[in-house]
Amino acid sequence: MRYSFFLLFSLVLMASCSHEKTFQVKGEISGAEGKTLYFEKAGIAQTLILDSLSLKSNGKFDFRQPAVTSPEFYRLRLGKQTITLAIDSTEKVIVNAPATDFATDYTVQGSAESEKIKTVTLAGLDLRKELETLNRQYADRQIGAQLFTDSVKNVVSAYKKTVFPYIFENPRAAVAYYTLFQRVNGLLIFDPYDKADYPAYGAVATSWDTFHKNSERSKQLIGITLDALRSHRSANATQADLGEVAEQNQIEIVLPDINGKNIKLSDMKGKVVLLDFTAYESDYSGPYNIALAKLYDKFKDRGFTIYQVSLDSNEHFWKVTASNLPWISVRDKDTIYSRFARSYNVTNLPTSYLLDRDGSIIARGSDVKDMEEAINKLL
């Protein structure tokens, strides 16, 4: 009798588990035998690994997770390549891809939002390539400053025209949110603090607050949109301040170092300064800071210093990294929304400016090697 009771209890438990609502992501990855495929949740603050498997010769995979009640984003990751998927209920999504061009040559079925996300992602990759080409041409002096600026504006404008429909056709959709937060070279293309882009954030924030109320992403959108609105209302005063400083050919920066002490950029007057905007969490950061260290060691005794602005979201990571650097490192807690980065027209990271002893901007570049000769002349 006791045995029958436990058998019955087990069957009931199994039955209840089998009725749990889930979503499914399955498919095949060709040419990936022995490689590890990760299934991740792309959260607002961090990405979490939910599951993984070592792919066999047939490349088949099958991941299942509890259903969600509001749109969320998940990723398939193979090496450094990722595929972003949108899930908002109990979808059955089928993804097929080759291992070589995993992130760009995949197909997806069962999720119209995920198909749209692929289009936006590919448009972002094209924009990144165009910006990198322009940066190289400018660094190699193939194009001048004005042509560089105009070209950047043109390619960004073309990108926005391509993806605008994914925002305004259905602002409550997952792809609308994804498009707003699409990053190229670490920076947002749609800036809530830009008056031209603000309506897009307003539309998506309003729709998400209506249809996905109390979700974390809805709260995030409302917070960003309200903060941007406050910024627009005080724009006249801010522009007046910036205009006054601009007469000195330098926009003031005041930010805290790892000890919480506010350091002014203007305090560096009298030295030749490399003003550098960066993100320590980026893949480029290690080799880039090594190159900066060589530059710093070579010229520090002749009146040269580095004022480095971190746009990292992870404060602890920044502090740990910055504690090992010999130059000044400050952090803007507004990260990608930094008004200082906007004021200096930072469109990708890293970006640096060379300032002479009077604080005047002499050159802009993203390649440390390009700065060495100019620094030597100023010293």
Side-chain angles (χ1 to χ4, degrees), residues 39-90:
F39 186 60
E40 304 171 331
K41 181 178 180 180
I44 295 175
Q46 60 182 332
T47 299
L48 301 175
I49 297 176
L50 301 177
D51 204 348
S52 65
L53 61 82
S54 179
L55 293 167
K56 297 181 179 179
S57 58
N58 61 14
K60 291 185 177 181
F61 64 90
D62 189 339
F63 297 118
R64 299 168 190 255
Q65 290 291 320
V68 293
T69 55
S70 60
E72 275 298 343
F73 300 94
Y74 296 84
R75 301 195 321 184
L76 292 170
R77 177 165 60 86
L78 188 70
K80 293 184 178 181
Q81 298 189 80
T82 61
I83 294 172
T84 300
L85 304 170
I87 303 292
D88 67 4
S89 184
T90 58

Side-chain angles (χ1 to χ4, degrees), residues 253-319:
I253 297 177
V254 184
L255 289 169
D257 63 9
I258 60 174
N259 298 312
K261 179 182 177 181
N262 282 333
I263 307 294
K264 294 181 179 180
L265 176 61
S266 59
D267 288 342
M268 307 299 110
K269 195 171 183 179
K271 293 186 176 183
V272 173
V273 180
L274 186 70
L275 169 61
D276 184 63
F277 292 87
T278 191
Y280 296 153
E281 293 175 282
S282 300
D283 292 339
Y284 68 78
S285 182
Y288 182 70
N289 276 341
I290 290 174
L292 281 183
K294 292 179 180 178
L295 200 66
Y296 180 80
D297 289 340
K298 184 172 183 177
F299 296 117
K300 65 179 180 180
D301 295 331
R302 295 171 56 190
F304 169 74
T305 192
I306 298 173
Y307 186 97
Q308 193 170 49
V309 180
S310 161
L311 301 182
D312 290 278
S313 58
N314 189 325
E315 182 179 9
H316 177 71
F317 187 91
W318 160 67
K319 285 185 175 181

Side-chain angles (χ1 to χ4, degrees), residues 167-168 180 192 194-205 232:
I167 296 176
F168 289 103
L180 280 185
D194 185 325
K195 289 184 178 180
D197 292 342
Y198 176 77
Y201 278 87
V204 178
H232 294 317

